[in-house]
Amino acid sequence: MDGAEGADAIAWEMVDDFDQVGLAATTEAKEIYDGAKSSIATAQSVGIAISVASAVIGLAIGFYLAWTIAKGVSGAADAARKISQGDVNCSVDVKGTDEIGQLGTSFNEMTVYMQDHVQAASAVAEGNLAVQVKSRGDQDALGNALLSMVTNLREIVGQVRTQATAALKSSTSLGEASDQMAS
């Protein structure tokens, strides 16, 4: 084998070696690509599962909040309906200190206020003008009206009493005068 043929053989041997290295690199690259593709698919599946789970949890929390709000507002609405029909012996079941709880507490305070004024009005209706009506301020329309009514009734009763006493004195004087004329 001469030098040129030896060089050709070495060159072909090198080409075969490069082909094998290239084939090995291509095979390894394909395995890496397939592994990456599988990892991406897994990550997408996990992302979708997390998204679906988050949506389900969010919906569950939303429904729970809506239910608790509706329940609290429904209780307040029932109390308001009863009060509008004149039933002041009602209350709202208060659970919590959030806005709905504050609404229930306010309704309960309002019914106690109305019950106090119903008791005062009932006492006046039974003739008890000694009842103590308390106003809660300038904005207390019902309390101020009841207070004014009791005060005015006391004045009217006082005037009637004064006039009845004067009429009794006049009647007594006329009776005495009549007796003197007859004797």
Side-chain angles (χ1 to χ4, degrees), residues 83-99:
I83 290 170
S84 74
Q85 296 170 351
D87 181 3
V88 296
N89 295 316
C90 59
S91 65
V92 176
D93 186 22
V94 178
K95 293 180 181 170
T97 57
D98 61 355
E99 290 81 1

Side-chain angles (χ1 to χ4, degrees), residues 1 20 51 90 168 179:
M1 192 182 242
Q20 288 178 1
S51 296
C90 59
L168 181 61
D179 286 342

Side-chain angles (χ1 to χ4, degrees), residues 34 59 67 75 80 113 151 154-155 168-169 171:
D34 289 343
L59 284 172
W67 175 75
Y113 164 81
T151 301
R154 287 176 186 155
E155 288 176 12
L168 181 61
K169 285 181 183 178
S171 174

Side-chain angles (χ1 to χ4, degrees), residues 22-38:
L23 183 60
T26 302
T27 303
E28 190 173 329
K30 184 172 180 351
E31 288 173 1
I32 291 172
Y33 172 77
D34 289 343
K37 191 175 176 183
S38 175

Side-chain angles (χ1 to χ4, degrees), residues 74-87 90 92 107 110-111:
S74 176
D78 288 343
R81 188 175 313 103
K82 288 177 182 178
I83 290 170
S84 74
Q85 296 170 351
D87 181 3
C90 59
V92 176
F107 262 92
M110 179 180 63
T111 56

Side-chain angles (χ1 to χ4, degrees), residues 15-146:
V15 168
D16 284 341
D17 287 343
F18 282 133
D19 282 344
Q20 288 178 1
V21 167
L23 183 60
T26 302
T27 303
E28 190 173 329
K30 184 172 180 351
E31 288 173 1
I32 291 172
Y33 172 77
D34 289 343
K37 191 175 176 183
S38 175
S39 294
I40 289 170
T42 301
Q44 286 176 335
S45 296
V46 168
I48 290 170
I50 289 172
S51 296
V52 168
S54 296
V56 168
I57 290 169
L59 284 172
I61 290 170
F63 281 122
Y64 174 75
L65 290 174
W67 175 75
T68 57
I69 290 169
K71 184 179 173 187
V73 171
S74 176
D78 288 343
R81 188 175 313 103
K82 288 177 182 178
I83 290 170
S84 74
Q85 296 170 351
D87 181 3
V88 296
N89 295 316
C90 59
S91 65
V92 176
D93 186 22
V94 178
K95 293 180 181 170
T97 57
D98 61 355
E99 290 81 1
I100 301 301
Q102 292 172 3
L103 175 66
T105 299
S106 294
F107 262 92
N108 290 338
E109 290 170 356
M110 179 180 63
T111 56
V112 167
Y113 164 81
M114 293 178 72
Q115 289 167 352
D116 291 345
H117 288 314
V118 165
Q119 287 175 350
S122 295
V124 170
E126 292 172 3
N128 179 3
L129 296 179
V131 68
Q132 295 295 318
V133 178
K134 295 176 184 168
S135 171
R136 292 187 176 181
D138 293 338
Q139 300 296 322
D140 185 2
L142 180 59
N144 289 332
L146 282 172

